[in-house]
Amino acid sequence: MFETLLLLTIPTLLFRLLGAVGVARFATWRVAAAHGLAFMLLMTGTSHFMPNSVPVLPHHGDLARMVPPFVPFPDFMVYLTGVLELAGALGLVLARFRRPAGLALAALFVLLLPANIYAAVDHIPFDGSAATPLWFRIPEQLVYIAVALFAALGTYSRVTKGSRSMIENRAESVPWT
């Protein structure tokens, strides 16, 4: 139940630790969170393309069962959302695209909420495991929405008397952050 949250939290903390020891790319929590979310999306997005025989991750069949009946073409939708998650992950690690990627991912997470609710209410399991309960799924989605917005809206920091903080300037001056 907590696996996906750990795929976000642990990399975010590790990236921020790198920033604390001098890696300029991860000098802020926003950048570390953007990269942590990108790592999580790389893992979850990849699972959209996994065959049913792969037991390590949720696979395409698991995700297709999550698609509510009112959504047409469930297999296509799983592939499409996988592509969007992977594209969003790439956008988050490129400072130039972080803002639009974060905003688009927040919207995607909102659009995926009905599938998560459906999977919880109808007890749709992943790879034979028990279904994640609704009381966990909704707050989990809210965390992903919040992190995507945090990463996106932090790309252009607040202007205070015409200048940004030194740390934000340093972190954003590196072209590949």
Side-chain angles (χ1 to χ4, degrees):
M1 181 164 60
F2 291 97
E3 295 88 0
T4 309
L5 277 176
L6 291 174
L7 287 174
L8 167 64
T9 306
I10 292 172
T12 298
L13 293 173
L14 291 174
F15 288 131
R16 188 59 194 104
L17 178 63
L18 288 172
V21 297
V23 179
R25 180 180 187 128
F26 307 114
T28 67
W29 277 105
R30 290 185 200 277
V31 175
H35 283 75
L37 184 59
F39 178 83
M40 181 200 84
L41 289 167
L42 179 63
M43 301 307 289
T44 60
T46 302
S47 70
H48 290 234
F49 303 96
M50 288 292 145
N52 296 353
S53 60
V54 176
V56 179
L57 295 170
H59 49 72
H60 180 83
D62 287 333
L63 297 168
R65 284 192 300 276
M66 281 182 63
V67 178
F70 64 85
V71 176
F73 313 112
D75 285 319
F76 172 75
M77 291 300 173
V78 170
Y79 290 128
L80 176 63
T81 55
V83 168
L84 294 174
E85 287 183 17
L86 294 172
L90 179 61
L92 286 173
V93 298
L94 301 172
R96 181 179 192 175
F97 300 107
R98 189 169 298 134
R99 184 179 184 93
L103 294 173
L105 285 166
L108 178 64
F109 294 143
V110 169
L111 292 172
L112 292 176
L113 193 55
N116 282 285
I117 293 170
Y118 173 74
V121 170
D122 279 18
H123 306 286
I124 309 284
F126 270 174
D127 202 27
S129 301
T132 305
L134 187 60
W135 65 264
F136 187 81
R137 279 189 183 266
I138 291 177
E140 181 182 33
Q141 281 299 109
L142 293 176
V143 167
Y144 303 144
I145 292 165
V147 172
L149 291 174
F150 178 67
L153 300 178
T155 300
Y156 301 105
S157 61
R158 288 181 289 167
V159 175
T160 307
K161 295 182 183 178
S163 66
R164 297 186 294 181
S165 76
M166 255 182 9
I167 288 179
E168 288 176 344
N169 277 331
R170 190 180 91 200
E172 291 182 10
S173 67
V174 180
W176 38 265
T177 60

